[in-house]
Amino acid sequence: MRFAAIGLDHRHIYHMVGGLLEAGAHCVGFEPQTSDPRVLAGFRERFPALKEVAGARLLDDPAIDLIVCAGIPSERAGLAVKAMAAGKDVMVDKPGVTSFAQLAQVEAAVAETGRIFSVCFSERFVVPSTIVAGKLIADGAIGRVVQTVGLGPHRLNRAIRPDWFFDKTQAGGILADIASHQIDQFLHFTGSQDAEIVASGIGHFGEADLPDYEDFGEVLLRSDRASGFIRVDWFTADGLPAWGDGRLTILGTKGTIELRKYVDIAGRPGTDHLFLVDGAGTRHIDASGEKLTYFRNLIADIADRTETAAAQQHMFTVCRLALHAQDRAVRLPPRRTESQ
């Protein structure tokens, strides 16, 4: 499978390209245009053998099967539509879209071209412990899943963020962006085809000179099978030896699974800690050695026109629910009026 990278504006492009290369795909080249020279420099350092090629040439190359994009969020859907019209499948970083209009355009392009539009939800697809959790659930280890609680804290790293990062019209907002990870995991682990956003909120509690920047968000959602709660934020302290203490708790009728994906604070070293509580007791599982499946499954889907990496409708549903959560969110706390 041959692919190319267009849109080097976010560091997630590193694991997107790296995961495909590790799974056996061949990268034809990358478009060096970027809004963040530091991302481009990091890409060149990690992949020194890859060629720089103009984006138009990559789109026109009939031998390229897949376009990979981690561009400015508001520009990803437009590139995806162009790539699909050129006969290519697409993998984009989350958020895949930042508006309902963009989602409609992408859905129409998929229907018209038959191409694949995949969003790389890295907090599941690039985390080995989520694969182990899925196997345990499939084996009935915790019974029927009835709730998930997903926590997605992030470190702001303000000094290295490009201007678009703080512009909601370009970045999409905290729920449309990082909460899409937790919505993806809720649907996946509960076996839900769809859900409703019961309540959602956004807030700014941090730096005073960014009053409109959303640094906190929460979502309550439900399906016909389960319920879920999501909290996302940009308040990871500098003392944590990881960019965020991402956690997922999965409640079943016969036990629970908790994933501490990136760090076990004041505990065991490394990543991908899975804690299982069932009828037999409690257990820690080191899931860091589990092999990832998303990239090799996507390569197979491109060849076989299947949906083993993720169902196409699942991608659209996650995008839609994230947009609904963002669109319907109340302000937390409510803005004070002059009379208050």
Side-chain angles (χ1 to χ4, degrees), residues 1-5 17 21 24-30 43 49-51:
M1 193 277 287
R2 295 162 59 87
F3 75 97
V17 169
L21 292 173
H26 172 68
C27 185
V28 174
F30 68 96
F43 190 90
L50 299 188
K51 299 177 181 179

Side-chain angles (χ1 to χ4, degrees), residues 272-329:
D272 292 283
H273 302 276
L274 186 151
F275 299 90
L276 172 65
V277 181
D278 58 17
T282 64
R283 176 157 59 114
H284 169 265
I285 299 173
D286 179 357
S288 60
E290 186 74 15
K291 291 187 179 299
L292 301 177
T293 59
Y294 169 71
F295 296 103
R296 68 171 183 259
N297 286 347
L298 182 60
I299 291 171
D301 290 340
I302 290 170
D304 302 332
R305 312 317 295 169
T306 50
E307 297 185 353
T308 61
Q312 182 63 79
Q313 189 56 50
H314 173 85
M315 295 296 175
F316 293 152
T317 300
V318 175
C319 291
R320 175 174 52 80
L321 289 173
L323 291 173
H324 276 307
Q326 184 72 53
D327 187 54
R328 300 171 182 178

